[in-house]
Amino acid sequence: TPITSLRLRAEMLDDAEAREKMIQTLADMQDMVEATLAFAREEAAAEPTRPTDLAALINAVADDLNDLGHTVDCAADAPLVYPCRPLAMRRAVTNLALNAATYGKSARLRLSEKNGTPEIVIEDDGPGIPPDQIERIFEPFVRLETSRSQDTGGIGLGMSIARDIVRRHGGDIRLENREEGGLRVTITLPAASG
């Protein structure tokens, strides 16, 4: 690829500082290209909808993130079978829970159902998001640097992908700063028909 070609040329530079900066820039470009392709693939995905236990899905996300060294608690004990695209829904929940665990020190996942409408809540104890930036965080490639560190990685597509997935299921995502500090992300899905 052109990026690989440029990287090979950069590695031949004599100036060590310039070489490292160029290699890092190319690595960032590679990450952006891969994330953009993943975003496009998600849009084109044709995963079939099938009955899925949302409690098991959310617990699996929490277990996976805990295995990776994050602190994630989960309150989703009772089975809640819901028709969805399970791989896509798992990706959305993972993106949101990983953000909470990474930027908010830990994450708490909770699943409930109100009048047949499933609700997934993800909370953290981090810095929250400035109120005027809440909608902006859903734009592709947006990272809020006041509360986000470049050292934590990511290029700003996780929230866009999560909202796209949830909206394709007929639901939505709401973000709000918690009075006691941190952020609350609420996924609301439509009641299952039939």
Side-chain angles (χ1 to χ4, degrees):
T1 67
I3 293 174
T4 303
S5 175
L6 285 172
R7 184 183 176 110
L8 291 171
R9 289 182 184 142
E11 288 175 353
M12 290 185 237
L13 289 176
D14 290 332
D15 183 338
E17 184 179 346
R19 179 176 59 242
E20 290 308 311
K21 286 181 179 178
M22 287 183 75
I23 289 172
Q24 182 57 53
T25 299
L26 290 166
D28 292 345
M29 287 174 62
Q30 183 71 35
D31 289 345
M32 289 181 81
V33 168
E34 288 173 4
T36 303
L37 289 172
F39 188 65
R41 279 193 297 270
E42 177 57 44
E43 245 183 65
E47 181 187 3
T49 297
R50 63 178 191 262
T52 303
D53 182 355
L54 290 179
L57 184 147
I58 292 167
N59 275 294
V61 168
D63 289 346
D64 287 350
L65 292 177
N66 281 316
D67 288 346
L68 293 172
H70 297 285
T71 303
V72 181
D73 294 321
C74 187
D77 300 324
L80 176 53
V81 177
Y82 185 79
C84 69
R85 293 171 38 222
L87 294 178
M89 187 60 66
R90 183 177 175 134
R91 182 172 185 193
V93 174
T94 298
N95 286 355
L96 298 168
L98 182 59
N99 274 354
T102 302
Y103 304 117
K105 303 179 184 92
S106 65
R108 292 175 299 282
L109 281 64
R110 184 175 73 246
L111 174 67
S112 62
E113 184 180 21
K114 296 175 185 171
N115 301 320
T117 302
E119 188 174 90
I120 302 165
V121 176
I122 302 161
E123 295 181 330
D124 67 50
D125 298 314
I129 295 177
D132 63 333
Q133 297 294 307
I134 285 181
E135 188 59 29
R136 186 171 174 261
I137 195 65
F138 288 108
E139 295 173 14
F141 303 112
V142 168
R143 298 184 70 209
L144 301 183
E145 296 312 325
T146 57
S147 63
R148 306 308 198 223
S149 167
Q150 288 285 15
D151 297 335
T152 56
I155 61 165
L157 277 177
M159 297 296 287
S160 298
I161 291 170
R163 183 163 74 171
D164 182 63
I165 290 168
V166 171
R167 285 185 170 175
R168 285 176 182 272
H169 282 85
D172 210 353
I173 297 178
R174 184 177 73 252
L175 274 63
E176 58 190 326
N177 289 307
R178 300 169 59 231
E179 283 186 22
E180 58 272 40
L183 187 69
R184 176 179 298 118
V185 179
T186 305
I187 297 173
T188 306
L189 297 167
S193 57

